[in-house]
Amino acid sequence: MGSLVNKRILLGVTGGIAAYKSADLVRRLREAGAEVRVVMTDAATEFITELTLQAVSGYPVHRHLLDPEAEAGMSHIELARWADAILVAPATADFLARLVQGRGDDLLATLCLATSAPMAVAPAMNQQMWRHPATQQNVDSLRHRGVQIFGPGEGSQACGDVGPGRLLEPAELAQLTAGLFQTGVLDGVTVMVTAGPTWEAIDPVRGLTNKSSGKMGYAIATAAAEGGARVILISGPVSLTPPDRVETVPVVSAQDMFDAVHARIDQIDLYIGVAAVADYRPVSVAPHKLKKTADSMNLELVRNPDILASVAALPSAPFTVGFAAETNDLEMAARHKLEAKRIDLVCANLVGGDEGGFGADENRLLLVDREGTTELPLAAKSRLARDLIHHISRKFHAKNRTQDTRRAHRR
Ligand code: C5P
């Protein structure tokens, strides 16, 4: 079962009589843990007020494209980027037609063009309009494009007809929306993710660490679990709640992380090293708190093992993915890391600038492997993690297919 906890749902409401159910739908989505922003078409406001949907969602409703005030707050592009998923409920026959045409003449249609988030529509209309070949063709073409079609249900209609075209009930729509995040791209695969910083003790109260928050690693572990994987998360010290449906193993130092990884590596098909592992640790840990007696002191450090490289070097290594946080020459540094560590894929991001990276809620990534590069544009880490898991799953399955073919040829 998918989950809506912490998911950002953009709900589009178009102009049909079933729009009165949208208020209940917002409530159900929020009860399931989602943050909801509502976009209404002009026609929708004939059936339900903006004020009602503002009250139940807790946010002002978005109505107009290129409204200077709204654009100054959250522009249509930011809104499209904000959404983890878009649900249009109810979706009228007219809206389905406009979606098929790729129109950009109102806010909702433009958002649907400007997003890469998963999308679903819940059609609601008179049964004859639903059965019309024009509507059926539109629905087919949306389905073909990957848009999920929720319903419609059958039964008595507001116009007195009986047949297909009723909006599904809000509780069912909320459940189906949660299912949008259940992609199945990693069904049956066991994934290990390392996350957060490590802490290299100097004495009982001091240590060497870094600014990694663990957010990216935790988001990737969550996205892998949503993809159907069994996930083991080896986490350095962070202040995040362990994700649902993920086996989380807390560790402190790089050596602890190395041991925890190798104790379980035989079970792993796919390894994603997101942790910011300290390169060095103090040669020895003082048993008592060090006193400030001298004017200066030297701390002797020794190299930590490279966990990612050690996993990639195993005779039956899993598919290995590493991260590279760089301040410049992103692609060159990533290519160097790909070869130096003999891994399958490097996810590189710029750090030290104004956006993304350590601690931030957003990030952008350059994915580098032996076939080329792919850019994942700036997005919330949760959304970026989902796109990354999609990319990794394609590469992972492609490599397994090639290896299976080679094995078959050798036989
Ligand atoms: O070499 P560098 O630290 O830049 O490489 C970063 C990548 O290597 C990350 O995926 C990180 O998790 C991994 N790494 C590791 N063990 C280390 C250092 C880095 O697994 N000691």
Side-chain angles (χ1 to χ4, degrees), residues 194 254 271 273-279 304-309 321-326 337 341:
T194 65
Y271 177 91
V274 197
V277 185
D279 293 322
N304 271 327
D306 190 310
I307 309 171
L308 177 60
V321 181
F323 268 68
E326 305 292 339
K337 205 146 290 181
K341 303 201 186 207

Side-chain angles (χ1 to χ4, degrees), residues 3-8 27-35:
S3 157
L4 283 173
V5 175
N6 295 329
K7 300 293 190 304
R8 295 159 161 187
R27 202 173 57 83
R28 303 277 179 166
L29 292 168
R30 291 190 68 191
E31 273 172 8
E35 188 182 333

Side-chain angles (χ1 to χ4, degrees), residues 143-218:
R143 207 176 265 133
H144 193 70
R145 253 185 236 170
V147 177
Q148 300 270 330
I149 315 293
F150 293 168
E154 287 213 32
S156 59
Q157 302 200 299
C159 53
D161 281 6
V162 176
R166 281 170 59 94
L167 185 70
L168 291 184
E169 290 308 317
E172 190 176 354
L173 286 175
Q175 216 171 41
L176 289 168
T177 306
L180 287 178
F181 298 96
Q182 206 65 33
T183 60
V185 290
L186 288 176
D187 270 346
V189 177
T190 303
V191 177
M192 179 179 275
V193 180
T194 65
T198 62
W199 170 270
E200 310 300 325
I202 296 172
D203 69 15
V205 291
R206 302 184 184 94
L208 300 174
T209 188
N210 59 64
K211 283 166 63 181
S212 168
S213 64
K215 284 179 190 165
M216 195 65 213
Y218 274 53

Side-chain angles (χ1 to χ4, degrees), residues 202-206 286 288-297:
I202 296 172
D203 69 15
V205 291
R206 302 184 184 94
H288 304 293
K289 189 179 166 199
L290 293 172
K291 301 271 183 250
K292 49 175 180 298
T293 45
D295 282 345
S296 68
M297 71 176 284

Side-chain angles (χ1 to χ4, degrees), residues 361-377:
D361 290 324
E362 290 190 327
N363 205 356
R364 66 169 88 232
L365 290 174
L366 188 71
L367 311 182
V368 178
D369 68 6
R370 290 175 187 84
E371 285 167 355
T373 60
T374 305
E375 221 182 299
L376 298 184

Side-chain angles (χ1 to χ4, degrees), residues 278-329:
D279 293 322
Y280 294 92
R281 67 175 181 276
V283 168
S284 59
V285 182
H288 304 293
K289 189 179 166 199
L290 293 172
K291 301 271 183 250
K292 49 175 180 298
T293 45
D295 282 345
S296 68
M297 71 176 284
N298 288 322
L299 195 59
E300 199 185 341
L301 303 177
V302 60
R303 270 293 278 275
N304 271 327
D306 190 310
I307 309 171
L308 177 60
S310 72
V311 169
L314 291 171
S316 53
F319 188 92
T320 44
V321 181
F323 268 68
E326 305 292 339
T327 49
N328 52 335
D329 285 340

